[in-house]
Amino acid sequence: MNELLKGNFQTKNQVTDSPAKEETLEDRFEREAKKRLGGSIAYVSKKKVMWDLKNEKK
Amino acid sequence: MAKVLFINPTVREEDVPRHVPYGIALLAAIAMKRGHLVQVYDENAWRRGEETIRAVLAADEWDTVALGGITTAYVSIRQIVRIAREVCPNATIMLGGGVLTSLPREMMTWLPEVDVGVIGEAFGTFPEILDRLDQGDRTWSTVNGTISRGPDGKLAMSPPRGLLHDLDNLPYPAWELFPLEEVYFPNSQVLFSEEGMLATRRLDINASYGCSLICRFCYHLGIAGDMRYVEDDKGEANVEFDRPGAYTRTIRYHSPEYVVKLARYAYDRFKVNFIGFLDENLMTMDQYSDRTWMRDICRLWKENGLAPSYLAQGGERGESWTGIHWSGTSHATLCTPEILKEMRSAGCSHLVYGYESFSPQVLKRLGKGSTPKTNIRSFFWTLEAGIRPIPNQMIGFPSEDFDSIRDSMAAWDKLGIVVKPFFSTPYPGSEWFTVNREWIERQYDGDLEKFVLDLGDATKITGVISQNFNAVELLGLREMMLMKDLKRIGEYEEIWRANHKIPPGQPSTLYTESEPPMLAVVNR
């Protein structure tokens, strides 16, 4: 049953809900820190570190 | 023996109380050790307001009501001393800490209720004042390290008080006099790391005093050997702190044995699971001790069974632990990969780095000794050690310009830094304040007290010291930085250049090294 789309007709294809990903401790921390961002509250979003460390180390 | 009432004033009213005031806790312990009768009322923790403050002051006949705090506690201190004078007309009202030390003459003028001010470190001065109270002697001008009022009403500064060098003689802080279970432990969380987020019983320790660096924005207020007594042009003594070409420092630290025994005491008596080191810069001490101090603290931390259980067993981060996780402040150029790994193995969860900016020209002028390269190097060393680096940033430096803003934004993007920068703030006692004082006063109608009343934790704009941007521009530019909106910043740069009649081909800046910011603004 399509629960995500609400409308007055039936879509051709059903939309199935993807199961919620289990939140890691790291995700939870970054989410909480983001809510309180400002002043001394700053953080590194580890998955977004894009620096080419190999080149930096040369 | 003297009957002492300590009152901890409110600070950072917008946040819950998170830190037991370490200085008051130490002074209370010193007083009790000498047999004095001590009570503490922590208004910052309880936040009950005037009625309760009156009831506390009326609870006994106090020989002295003692207050202290950082400069941003001034609003609360002003209220409390007025009530104290009214309720306790015969008590000696004493004020110390950074708020008094940074501006002793001004504070004593603005707060006529205060009888004696303790300038700089109070470990020696405070007990001597209590002894004088016991003797019925209120001649404060003969107690070194004080400012008081003479019979003619004139302010008198006694000779300076030397710093205490054998720090290990200090008793442990009297944490038990503060509402730990009621207020502080429920506010243990520090959102700087996973472990900080999970902390449920946190206390803070100050293991060292001082910092070898000369960051223009920083202030140490006498405890780092940074304070000198000078005569002003009226021939009156006053204090002087860092100014261009005049820097003095004294580095002091507790022995690793004292530090770890204190942590063990906190663990056994108060069941703490997190300790925040309040030290200005743990890495200064590590370097100053030939890289032995931090290493020995880590070794003893583990030997005394304080390293978090899963780390001691070679595991990774967990949701709960026995032992103590801890945190502190590091420095980009003074840390090493080796010590960072040692620190992690002993339970270090996060380290605050004042990276401040990723602009080469801003960092060069800051006196911090760091560069974008050392910022980035320490960032990765810390992450690789398993410690979270807290990448503090600022906006509104004297030489801040559009390029420096873009430099920082580019680094945040590449390094995954999520930050809402502090506003560069010239706190009293800092070189920025000393150099820009006249300009700051002008921003507050010539009334320095208005500026002090306005000061907060640098998350809002107060006195501006940027030569290029005013308060409105800085506020807007910070929002654009948060939104990563390089396009609008570029568009505004064109408007700004036109407003300031900068010819094509010239850099977008009004900053000049030789010209004080005050003149730069007046000339606009």
Side-chain angles (χ1 to χ4, degrees):
Chain A
M1 186 178 160
N2 192 339
E3 292 177 339
L4 294 171
L5 277 176
K6 308 271 184 207
N8 65 353
F9 75 102
Q10 187 69 42
T11 57
K12 287 177 187 166
N13 299 314
Q14 281 217 356
V15 179
T16 51
D17 196 1
S18 47
K21 283 181 191 164
E22 198 176 328
E23 193 180 46
T24 65
L25 190 55
E26 180 180 308
D27 295 335
R28 188 175 142 205
F29 161 70
E30 292 182 7
R31 180 172 50 78
E32 290 296 322
K34 193 171 189 178
K35 278 193 223 163
R36 295 264 319 276
L37 190 67
S40 58
I41 306 288
Y43 66 97
V44 178
S45 180
K46 287 186 177 174
K47 294 184 184 75
K48 290 184 182 164
V49 178
M50 293 192 296
W51 206 278
D52 187 346
L53 192 54
K54 280 181 188 167
N55 284 338
E56 277 302 309
K57 278 181 173 174
K58 277 177 192 171
Chain B
M1 303 309 282
K3 205 174 267 182
V4 185
L5 171 63
F6 285 99
I7 301 185
N8 182 34
T10 306
V11 69
R12 299 194 76 229
E13 211 167 355
E14 67 282 4
D15 195 8
V16 294
R18 295 186 185 277
H19 304 281
V20 175
Y22 202 79
I24 293 179
L26 274 177
L27 293 177
I30 290 170
M32 289 193 294
K33 195 176 169 187
R34 295 168 77 97
H36 297 291
L37 303 170
V38 174
Q39 294 283 338
V40 173
Y41 173 62
D42 190 341
E43 168 65 5
N44 187 48
W46 294 114
R47 300 191 182 181
R48 294 289 203 266
E50 182 171 340
E51 206 174 313
T52 302
I53 294 169
R54 283 182 180 278
V56 164
L57 287 160
D60 212 316
E61 288 175 12
W62 309 104
D63 292 307
T64 181
V65 177
L67 297 97
I70 56 176
T71 307
T72 52
Y74 178 66
V75 177
S76 174
I77 287 169
R78 193 170 74 155
Q79 182 204 20
I80 294 169
V81 296
R82 285 176 183 172
I83 302 169
R85 184 76 300 153
E86 191 190 321
V87 180
C88 310
N90 299 320
T92 294
I93 298 179
M94 199 185 327
L95 177 65
V99 64
L100 183 284
T101 302
S102 60
L103 297 163
R105 287 189 176 275
E106 290 83 349
M107 284 293 159
M108 292 296 281
T109 305
W110 298 337
L111 303 172
E113 300 85 1
V114 175
D115 297 301
V116 55
V118 177
I119 299 173
E121 189 166 273
F123 297 147
T125 311
F126 180 70
E128 195 175 325
I129 291 174
L130 298 188
D131 290 347
R132 294 290 181 97
L133 284 171
D134 279 349
Q135 295 155 15
D137 177 3
R138 298 190 180 197
T139 323
W140 309 124
S141 59
T142 57
V143 179
N144 287 358
T146 62
I147 181 167
S148 56
R149 301 172 206 286
D152 55 359
K154 275 192 172 176
L155 294 174
M157 272 175 67
S158 63
R161 166 79 55 175
L163 295 172
L164 178 70
H165 284 280
D166 190 0
L167 292 175
D168 284 2
N169 274 337
L170 287 173
Y172 292 163
W175 283 312
E176 68 277 12
L177 301 187
F178 294 83
L180 301 182
E181 301 293 346
E182 303 93 328
V183 178
Y184 287 110
F185 287 154
N187 295 326
S188 288
Q189 185 183 67
V190 276
L191 275 174
F192 293 122
S193 59
E194 287 81 348
E195 298 90 334
M197 177 179 71
L198 297 169
T200 53
R201 296 178 74 82
R202 175 179 51 79
L203 283 174
D204 306 318
I205 284 179
N206 198 32
S208 64
Y209 296 82
C211 178
S212 57
L213 303 165
I214 51 166
C215 305
R216 309 294 189 246
F217 57 84
C218 199
Y219 50 91
H220 315 273
L221 304 172
I223 60 170
D226 56 309
M227 183 172 66
R228 299 172 294 276
Y229 277 38
V230 292
E231 267 192 14
D232 63 18
D233 46 13
K234 294 176 205 155
E236 289 181 332
N238 211 335
V239 294
E240 179 189 82
F241 301 97
D242 286 2
R243 64 177 168 78
Y247 308 99
T248 50
R249 290 290 184 274
T250 304
I251 304 297
R252 297 173 296 157
Y253 44 88
H254 282 289
S255 68
E257 288 77 13
Y258 177 98
V259 174
V260 175
K261 276 183 188 166
L262 176 56
R264 183 75 219 190
Y265 163 75
Y267 186 63
D268 291 337
R269 178 162 181 187
F270 302 106
K271 314 292 178 214
V272 299
N273 57 11
F274 200 98
I275 280 177
F277 280 97
L278 300 168
D279 305 49
E280 286 191 53
N281 179 353
L282 290 170
M283 292 304 161
T284 285
M285 308 306 146
D286 196 50
Q287 190 198 42
Y288 196 78
S289 65
D290 266 343
R291 302 290 179 194
T292 60
W293 188 68
M294 203 68 244
R295 186 195 65 199
D296 287 348
I297 289 175
C298 293
R299 177 177 57 78
L300 290 168
W301 202 271
K302 289 185 258 187
E303 285 176 10
N304 281 270
L306 295 177
S309 43
Y310 45 79
L311 292 176
Q313 291 151 17
E316 290 291 316
R317 183 171 273 130
E319 292 257 353
S320 63
W321 59 87
T322 56
I324 306 176
H325 269 296
W326 51 280
S327 65
T329 299
S330 184
H331 185 273
T333 65
L334 301 178
C335 65
T336 66
E338 294 76 27
I339 197 59
L340 290 168
K341 282 175 194 154
E342 280 294 316
M343 291 163 78
R344 178 60 193 167
S345 71
C348 181
S349 64
H350 59 264
L351 288 170
V352 175
Y353 285 89
Y355 288 145
E356 326 304 0
S357 170
F358 285 90
S359 157
Q361 63 91 354
V362 165
L363 289 175
K364 194 176 171 187
R365 294 182 170 104
L366 212 50
K368 199 163 187 130
S370 59
T371 63
K373 195 175 176 180
T374 59
N375 278 359
I376 293 160
R377 189 182 67 182
S378 67
F379 175 90
F380 283 111
W381 282 350
T382 309
L383 277 179
E384 283 169 358
I387 297 171
R388 271 193 179 270
I390 308 305
N392 281 175
Q393 295 279 277
M394 288 197 252
I395 181 176
F397 298 94
S399 63
E400 190 86 82
D401 59 23
F402 291 96
D403 282 341
S404 66
I405 285 171
R406 282 188 282 260
D407 285 343
S408 290
M409 289 172 70
W412 300 354
D413 213 30
K414 285 183 174 175
L415 297 171
I417 289 175
V418 185
V419 63
K420 187 176 183 181
F422 286 109
F423 290 108
S424 298
T425 302
Y427 287 103
S430 69
E431 185 175 330
W432 275 354
F433 177 80
T434 301
V435 170
N436 297 295
R437 179 169 175 162
E438 204 179 321
W439 186 29
I440 295 161
E441 286 178 348
R442 215 174 288 184
Q443 293 173 48
Y444 287 85
D445 310 319
D447 185 347
L448 187 65
E449 189 184 17
K450 277 189 188 170
F451 168 64
V452 173
L453 286 165
D454 195 30
L455 277 172
D457 63 358
T459 54
K460 66 164 188 167
I461 293 185
T462 55
V464 173
I465 53 167
S466 166
Q467 290 192 32
N468 286 323
F469 303 121
N470 62 32
V472 175
E473 289 169 327
L474 287 172
L475 197 60
L477 286 166
R478 187 178 74 167
E479 287 307 300
M480 292 298 120
M481 290 175 91
L482 287 172
M483 292 157 65
K484 301 183 178 182
D485 198 337
L486 284 165
K487 181 172 173 285
R488 281 200 174 93
I489 290 174
E491 287 167 359
Y492 182 65
E493 183 177 4
E494 292 310 311
I495 296 166
W496 184 91
R497 288 179 65 90
N499 287 346
H500 292 284
K501 299 181 176 55
I502 310 255
Q506 293 297 307
S508 299
T509 185
L510 304 169
Y511 181 79
T512 53
E513 293 279 4
S514 56
E515 195 176 17
M518 182 181 74
L519 296 178
V521 164
V522 171
N523 289 345
R524 264 186 216 169

mmCIF file of all heavy atoms in Angstrom, chain B residues 102-119:
data_model
loop_
_atom_site.group_PDB
_atom_site.id
_atom_site.type_symbol
_atom_site.label_atom_id
_atom_site.label_comp_id
_atom_site.label_asym_id
_atom_site.label_seq_id
_atom_site.Cartn_x
_atom_site.Cartn_y
_atom_site.Cartn_z
ATOM 1 N N SER B 102 41.096 43.479 35.310
ATOM 2 C CA SER B 102 41.263 44.098 33.995
ATOM 3 C C SER B 102 41.172 45.618 34.064
ATOM 4 O O SER B 102 41.842 46.317 33.313
ATOM 5 C CB SER B 102 40.226 43.548 33.016
ATOM 6 O OG SER B 102 38.932 43.829 33.486
ATOM 7 N N LEU B 103 40.333 46.114 34.952
ATOM 8 C CA LEU B 103 40.095 47.559 35.047
ATOM 9 C C LEU B 103 39.925 47.951 36.519
ATOM 10 O O LEU B 103 38.840 48.364 36.944
ATOM 11 C CB LEU B 103 38.810 47.923 34.272
ATOM 12 C CG LEU B 103 38.809 47.672 32.766
ATOM 13 C CD1 LEU B 103 37.373 47.690 32.232
ATOM 14 C CD2 LEU B 103 39.639 48.713 32.036
ATOM 15 N N PRO B 104 40.965 47.833 37.348
ATOM 16 C CA PRO B 104 40.767 48.011 38.794
ATOM 17 C C PRO B 104 40.238 49.381 39.183
ATOM 18 O O PRO B 104 39.314 49.499 40.006
ATOM 19 C CB PRO B 104 42.152 47.741 39.381
ATOM 20 C CG PRO B 104 43.105 47.693 38.260
ATOM 21 C CD PRO B 104 42.337 47.472 37.004
ATOM 22 N N ARG B 105 40.790 50.422 38.627
ATOM 23 C CA ARG B 105 40.352 51.772 39.008
ATOM 24 C C ARG B 105 38.929 52.054 38.523
ATOM 25 O O ARG B 105 38.120 52.642 39.245
ATOM 26 C CB ARG B 105 41.327 52.823 38.459
ATOM 27 C CG ARG B 105 42.636 52.827 39.219
ATOM 28 C CD ARG B 105 43.540 53.980 38.864
ATOM 29 N NE ARG B 105 44.716 53.951 39.713
ATOM 30 C CZ ARG B 105 44.779 54.494 40.927
ATOM 31 N NH1 ARG B 105 43.742 55.150 41.415
ATOM 32 N NH2 ARG B 105 45.873 54.402 41.657
ATOM 33 N N GLU B 106 38.655 51.608 37.315
ATOM 34 C CA GLU B 106 37.311 51.841 36.779
ATOM 35 C C GLU B 106 36.271 51.079 37.597
ATOM 36 O O GLU B 106 35.213 51.619 37.951
ATOM 37 C CB GLU B 106 37.236 51.400 35.306
ATOM 38 C CG GLU B 106 38.008 52.272 34.336
ATOM 39 C CD GLU B 106 39.495 51.918 34.247
ATOM 40 O OE1 GLU B 106 39.985 51.124 35.087
ATOM 41 O OE2 GLU B 106 40.168 52.435 33.342
ATOM 42 N N MET B 107 36.579 49.807 37.916
ATOM 43 C CA MET B 107 35.609 48.997 38.664
ATOM 44 C C MET B 107 35.336 49.595 40.041
ATOM 45 O O MET B 107 34.178 49.646 40.489
ATOM 46 C CB MET B 107 36.133 47.561 38.824
ATOM 47 C CG MET B 107 36.012 46.734 37.572
ATOM 48 S SD MET B 107 34.283 46.401 37.143
ATOM 49 C CE MET B 107 34.480 46.014 35.395
ATOM 50 N N MET B 108 36.383 50.033 40.715
ATOM 51 C CA MET B 108 36.194 50.610 42.056
ATOM 52 C C MET B 108 35.418 51.926 41.977
ATOM 53 O O MET B 108 34.711 52.302 42.918
ATOM 54 C CB MET B 108 37.549 50.821 42.738
ATOM 55 C CG MET B 108 38.265 49.532 43.091
ATOM 56 S SD MET B 108 37.418 48.510 44.316
ATOM 57 C CE MET B 108 37.862 49.357 45.831
ATOM 58 N N THR B 109 35.527 52.605 40.857
ATOM 59 C CA THR B 109 34.761 53.847 40.668
ATOM 60 C C THR B 109 33.304 53.531 40.353
ATOM 61 O O THR B 109 32.385 54.161 40.893
ATOM 62 C CB THR B 109 35.395 54.675 39.522
ATOM 63 O OG1 THR B 109 36.777 54.872 39.819
ATOM 64 C CG2 THR B 109 34.701 56.006 39.343
ATOM 65 N N TRP B 110 33.102 52.545 39.478
ATOM 66 C CA TRP B 110 31.724 52.201 39.090
ATOM 67 C C TRP B 110 30.975 51.488 40.224
ATOM 68 O O TRP B 110 29.754 51.499 40.263
ATOM 69 C CB TRP B 110 31.735 51.278 37.860
ATOM 70 C CG TRP B 110 32.340 51.888 36.639
ATOM 71 C CD1 TRP B 110 32.482 53.210 36.334
ATOM 72 C CD2 TRP B 110 32.921 51.175 35.533
ATOM 73 N NE1 TRP B 110 33.108 53.369 35.119
ATOM 74 C CE2 TRP B 110 33.378 52.140 34.595
ATOM 75 C CE3 TRP B 110 33.087 49.833 35.213
ATOM 76 C CZ2 TRP B 110 34.002 51.793 33.391
ATOM 77 C CZ3 TRP B 110 33.701 49.479 34.009
ATOM 78 C CH2 TRP B 110 34.151 50.458 33.111
ATOM 79 N N LEU B 111 31.732 50.836 41.101
ATOM 80 C CA LEU B 111 31.107 50.052 42.180
ATOM 81 C C LEU B 111 31.548 50.613 43.539
ATOM 82 O O LEU B 111 32.399 50.028 44.222
ATOM 83 C CB LEU B 111 31.513 48.571 42.071
ATOM 84 C CG LEU B 111 31.199 47.863 40.744
ATOM 85 C CD1 LEU B 111 31.823 46.463 40.715
ATOM 86 C CD2 LEU B 111 29.688 47.760 40.521
ATOM 87 N N PRO B 112 30.970 51.724 43.955
ATOM 88 C CA PRO B 112 31.410 52.337 45.217
ATOM 89 C C PRO B 112 31.106 51.470 46.440
ATOM 90 O O PRO B 112 31.646 51.713 47.514
ATOM 91 C CB PRO B 112 30.610 53.653 45.268
ATOM 92 C CG PRO B 112 29.483 53.463 44.319
ATOM 93 C CD PRO B 112 29.935 52.512 43.276
ATOM 94 N N GLU B 113 30.277 50.456 46.252
ATOM 95 C CA GLU B 113 29.944 49.560 47.378
ATOM 96 C C GLU B 113 31.109 48.645 47.744
ATOM 97 O O GLU B 113 31.157 48.109 48.847
ATOM 98 C CB GLU B 113 28.731 48.680 47.006
ATOM 99 C CG GLU B 113 27.467 49.458 46.668
ATOM 100 C CD GLU B 113 27.409 49.911 45.208
ATOM 101 O OE1 GLU B 113 28.352 49.594 44.441
ATOM 102 O OE2 GLU B 113 26.450 50.606 44.855
ATOM 103 N N VAL B 114 32.052 48.444 46.806
ATOM 104 C CA VAL B 114 33.153 47.510 47.055
ATOM 105 C C VAL B 114 34.207 48.190 47.934
ATOM 106 O O VAL B 114 34.659 49.293 47.644
ATOM 107 C CB VAL B 114 33.779 47.045 45.715
ATOM 108 C CG1 VAL B 114 35.008 46.168 45.964
ATOM 109 C CG2 VAL B 114 32.751 46.278 44.882
ATOM 110 N N ASP B 115 34.605 47.500 49.008
ATOM 111 C CA ASP B 115 35.607 48.053 49.921
ATOM 112 C C ASP B 115 37.022 47.755 49.450
ATOM 113 O O ASP B 115 37.899 48.598 49.550
ATOM 114 C CB ASP B 115 35.420 47.454 51.326
ATOM 115 C CG ASP B 115 34.079 47.839 51.914
ATOM 116 O OD1 ASP B 115 33.837 49.047 52.053
ATOM 117 O OD2 ASP B 115 33.271 46.937 52.212
ATOM 118 N N VAL B 116 37.216 46.532 49.007
ATOM 119 C CA VAL B 116 38.567 46.148 48.617
ATOM 120 C C VAL B 116 38.519 45.248 47.384
ATOM 121 O O VAL B 116 37.695 44.324 47.297
ATOM 122 C CB VAL B 116 39.328 45.474 49.793
ATOM 123 C CG1 VAL B 116 38.576 44.288 50.366
ATOM 124 C CG2 VAL B 116 40.742 45.056 49.390
ATOM 125 N N GLY B 117 39.385 45.558 46.438
ATOM 126 C CA GLY B 117 39.496 44.760 45.223
ATOM 127 C C GLY B 117 40.788 43.959 45.252
ATOM 128 O O GLY B 117 41.824 44.466 45.685
ATOM 129 N N VAL B 118 40.703 42.719 44.820
ATOM 130 C CA VAL B 118 41.889 41.863 44.771
ATOM 131 C C VAL B 118 42.370 41.822 43.318
ATOM 132 O O VAL B 118 41.669 41.330 42.436
ATOM 133 C CB VAL B 118 41.570 40.448 45.286
ATOM 134 C CG1 VAL B 118 42.797 39.543 45.148
ATOM 135 C CG2 VAL B 118 41.109 40.508 46.728
ATOM 136 N N ILE B 119 43.556 42.364 43.104
ATOM 137 C CA ILE B 119 44.090 42.465 41.739
ATOM 138 C C ILE B 119 44.946 41.237 41.447
ATOM 139 O O ILE B 119 45.856 40.909 42.203
ATOM 140 C CB ILE B 119 44.933 43.745 41.588
ATOM 141 C CG1 ILE B 119 44.070 44.983 41.850
ATOM 142 C CG2 ILE B 119 45.577 43.807 40.207
ATOM 143 C CD1 ILE B 119 44.848 46.286 41.882
#
